[in-house]
Amino acid sequence: MASAEIVDTPLNRDALEARIAPDEHGAVCVFIGQVRNHSRGKQVASLEYRAYMPLAEKQLLRVAEDAEKRWGCQVALWHRLGIMKPGDASVAVAVSAPHRAEAFEACRYCIDTLKALVPIWKRETCPDGTWWIEGEEAFPASEER
Amino acid sequence: MESALPEGSAPGEPPSNQLRLIGAHMPSSGGLSSCLLSGREIGCTAVQLFTGNPRQWSHPPLAEEEIRAFQNAREETALPFLCAHDSYLINLAAPDADVLDRSRNAFRGELERAHALGIPWVVTHMGAHLERGEEEAVARLIESLVRILEETDAAGCTAGIALETTAGQGTGLGWRFEQLGAVLKGVDHQQRIGVCMDTCHIFAAGYDLRTEDAWENTLKEFDAQVGLSALRIIHANDSKKGLGSRVDRHEHIGKGEIGLKPFARLVRDARLQHVPVVVETPDAHTMHQVNVALLQRLAAGGTGVFVEVELCGHFSEAGPLLQMELPENTSLQQLAEILEQKDARLAGLSACCQFAVNHEFAERGTLLCEGDRVAALPPSSGG
Ligand SMILES: [Zn+2]
Ligand SMILES: [Zn+2]
């Protein structure tokens, strides 16, 4: 069964992978996205993710369910919110499937799709201030709301 | 004891004016009179307060100066309705003889203090049976109330008792309307006994009020079992927990499982027009003002539609949460245009945002209804 969670705590890989990979599956593919120390040509000191929670977890689960249906695989998605430092894992996709081709494809589909469909926004704190990132655009943010 | 009850709000007679009274349980910030002053300041026309420390059994009698200061504040604020809430420790149905005795004494004190201050009603929960027999507990509760009323009647006390509907948490009594009705009947003292309906509690106890039909059924049931004429006070609280959860967790008006619309229905219901409404929601210091103003706007009603708009991403810099009154039949597209005109920081919103209504994506043509929760979602950047 597909699983999706949005939390404000660091990634626990064992817990994530425990949700997938029954014995009849021969392939496990895990993707982890981590906070980069630079963005748009600037140094990133820290980064914050905020979500529209009433829809975010629902949407994340829909992506997982969709992938399971298309590739006959098992999917566990994870996204972290709150303030993170470069090197911290912010998103994780874990997929298991009977064979590696489905596992790779489904994993790639999940990360690409969730970026577009899950209402989560990034705030980057750089030397020149804090910025809301929305798609390709950046807007200045007040430091604290 | 001589008490100056405001005209029309004495127990036993409905208030004469038809103004919808709306207010809050005000915490004390130094002296009982501070509850009235701060209540007035945030726009209350009804105030509930503790007349003693709610986590304490015994209280010295009120000092003359305290009573005088309270009366002065009452005059100065001209608050049309006041009620008190009793101590949390009191259990008028307690199986333990010692606790029962302390509870009865403490509650008599509550009534005496209320009378001295000219407060017409003391709200109390109906106690708990603590797994020692529910029927016996109800009988003890009735006996407690009869006794206390007799004794305080004899002393000339006019403050009435408003039994509050409960959420049915633990072994608490009074979550079924039948039980409340049985206690009222058993006490049989119309002048000084009434009921306080708490929306969060009845919802948690399993009485739905989210749709028009559900509200009609709940009110019909209340009328049949308790009697609408016994209803003296409404506690308007949204609920963090679901229907029938039997868990008592108050939430801001419109933000919980009940939602905004039922509160609009409630404060506009002509049958309840004479019943004061008091919020007991969290974050009193910052949020009572917001909740009271919201209920007052809902009560004033008209034909406008109240919606809540959550602004996400960089648009949250202009919000993040707006309560808006819109003309009837406003579409999401029109709302987007209204928002852009309202605040320069919302420029570009219409072009880039997707919208959600009540936590699902919605088309631009969607017409907004009372209580809808709208979210404006710019392109996301998760992952
Ligand atoms: Zn209450
Ligand atoms: Zn409560």
Side-chain angles (χ1 to χ4, degrees):
Chain A
M1 216 189 34
S3 93
E5 57 173 358
I6 296 179
V7 298
D8 55 6
T9 46
L11 176 62
N12 177 341
R13 277 189 69 160
D14 291 341
L16 184 73
E17 286 176 45
R19 293 165 194 258
I20 57 160
D23 289 347
E24 65 268 27
H25 282 183
V28 173
C29 187
V30 177
F31 169 86
I32 294 176
Q34 65 170 20
V35 177
R36 237 192 331 254
N37 67 2
H38 65 277
S39 166
R40 298 172 294 120
K42 287 181 272 194
Q43 199 64 26
V44 173
S46 72
L47 190 149
E48 181 183 359
Y49 283 101
R50 289 185 188 174
Y52 178 60
M53 277 307 272
L55 205 45
E57 212 154 32
K58 253 195 287 198
Q59 281 292 98
L60 196 63
L61 186 62
R62 282 174 186 155
V63 172
E65 285 171 343
D66 192 30
E68 289 198 347
K69 222 178 285 156
R70 289 170 70 166
W71 285 281
C73 55
Q74 227 174 38
V75 178
L77 301 181
W78 176 91
H79 204 298
R80 183 174 168 188
L81 299 181
I83 296 171
M84 279 159 253
K85 294 258 171 290
D88 287 344
S90 60
V91 64
V93 177
V95 178
S96 70
H99 306 285
R100 67 182 181 283
E102 295 97 302
F104 275 124
E105 270 178 59
C107 188
R108 163 126 213 183
Y109 168 84
C110 285
I111 186 64
D112 288 349
T113 312
L114 80 82
K115 276 174 174 282
L117 296 189
V118 181
I120 293 181
W121 301 272
K122 182 152 66 172
R123 279 158 58 100
E124 290 176 349
T125 298
C126 305
D128 62 347
T130 299
W131 301 82
W132 285 102
I133 309 301
E134 290 168 12
E136 298 301 309
E137 295 195 72
F139 300 88
S142 57
E143 292 302 316
E144 256 328 299
R145 76 167 168 195
Chain B
M1 270 186 285
E2 204 38 59
S3 129
L5 287 179
E7 227 193 354
S9 61
E13 32 178 304
S16 49
N17 65 30
Q18 287 299 297
L19 173 72
R20 190 25 132 177
L21 302 179
I22 293 172
H25 181 106
M26 295 306 294
S28 158
S29 57
L32 297 174
S33 54
S34 71
C35 301
L36 308 191
L37 299 173
S38 54
R40 182 76 228 176
E41 212 162 279
I42 65 164
C44 293
T45 49
V47 162
Q48 178 177 284
L49 63 145
F50 293 124
T51 63
N53 182 331
R55 300 183 196 282
Q56 207 167 290
W57 276 113
S58 61
H59 297 88
L62 292 171
E64 278 300 322
E65 311 92 84
E66 179 91 291
I67 296 175
R68 216 171 310 117
F70 192 83
Q71 283 163 346
N72 289 342
R74 178 83 191 251
E75 235 162 76
E76 189 188 324
T77 57
L79 279 164
F81 181 81
L82 300 181
C83 60
H85 195 294
D86 71 344
S87 157
Y88 297 132
L89 302 175
I90 291 173
N91 181 0
L92 294 173
D96 180 276
D98 182 48
V99 176
L100 186 61
D101 206 43
R102 292 173 117 193
S103 294
R104 287 172 175 173
N105 284 331
F107 194 69
R108 213 178 297 118
E110 295 278 357
L111 288 173
E112 285 161 1
R113 288 198 301 279
H115 179 78
L117 295 166
I119 298 175
W121 292 101
V122 178
V123 177
T124 181
H125 293 188
M126 290 172 55
H129 61 73
L130 307 171
E131 310 292 4
R132 304 259 292 273
E134 186 164 352
E135 250 171 74
E136 293 91 314
V138 171
R140 266 193 308 274
L141 170 65
I142 293 173
E143 199 200 324
S144 295
L145 293 169
V146 168
R147 263 210 226 174
I148 292 166
L149 284 167
E150 272 174 9
E151 288 162 7
T152 50
D153 262 346
C157 173
T158 54
I161 304 170
L163 299 172
E164 180 168 1
T165 58
T166 57
Q169 195 165 286
T171 66
L173 301 173
W175 60 282
R176 298 292 312 167
F177 292 166
E178 299 87 290
Q179 200 165 58
L180 207 56
V183 172
L184 281 191
K185 219 191 229 151
V187 175
D188 192 25
H189 191 315
Q190 280 184 20
Q191 287 297 308
R192 288 184 61 208
I193 195 142
V195 172
C196 167
M197 179 197 276
D198 186 308
T199 54
C200 167
H201 297 174
I202 63 170
F203 183 72
Y207 296 100
D208 200 356
L209 43 106
R210 290 171 297 186
T211 64
E212 183 131 26
D213 282 353
W215 173 237
E216 283 307 314
N217 286 336
T218 292
L219 213 56
K220 206 184 288 164
E221 179 72 5
F222 183 88
D223 194 30
Q225 301 294 342
V226 181
L228 265 184
S229 60
L231 184 60
R232 299 299 176 183
I233 300 159
I234 293 170
H235 282 170
N237 301 309
D238 208 330
S239 175
K240 278 196 186 2
K241 301 291 175 178
L243 178 69
S245 63
R246 310 261 310 260
V247 177
D248 179 11
R249 294 279 181 282
H250 298 190
E251 180 57 288
H252 299 297
I253 303 297
K255 301 285 187 294
E257 292 288 327
I258 297 175
L260 194 59
K261 203 166 190 166
F263 288 100
R265 202 178 289 122
L266 184 144
V267 293
R268 290 175 193 171
D269 195 317
R271 294 163 294 184
L272 309 180
Q273 206 53 40
H274 60 285
V275 185
V277 175
V278 169
V279 302
E280 300 171 305
T281 40
D283 315 314
H285 292 290
T286 50
M287 287 300 290
H288 271 4
Q289 184 161 19
V290 175
N291 286 309
V292 168
L294 176 57
L295 286 178
Q296 285 168 343
R297 276 190 335 207
L298 292 176
T303 57
V305 170
F306 289 91
V307 300
E308 178 189 286
V309 182
E310 186 161 349
L311 300 165
C312 296
H314 81 279
F315 296 117
S316 67
E317 306 269 336
L321 207 59
L322 308 176
Q323 309 278 356
M324 297 180 71
E325 184 177 7
L326 303 172
E328 261 187 314
N329 294 320
T330 300
S331 69
L332 272 178
Q333 179 57 43
Q334 287 165 324
L335 171 65
E337 288 157 15
I338 292 169
L339 286 168
E340 289 211 26
Q341 276 164 19
K342 190 180 159 75
D343 192 319
R345 289 170 295 183
L346 299 178
L349 180 140
S350 179
C352 82
C353 279
Q354 259 190 303
F355 285 91
V357 176
N358 299 328
H359 308 160
E360 278 303 343
F361 289 110
E363 302 289 332
R364 288 296 178 107
T366 306
L367 299 181
L368 294 168
C369 301
E370 180 76 37
D372 276 347
R373 300 170 193 201
V374 180
L377 312 164
S380 54
S381 55

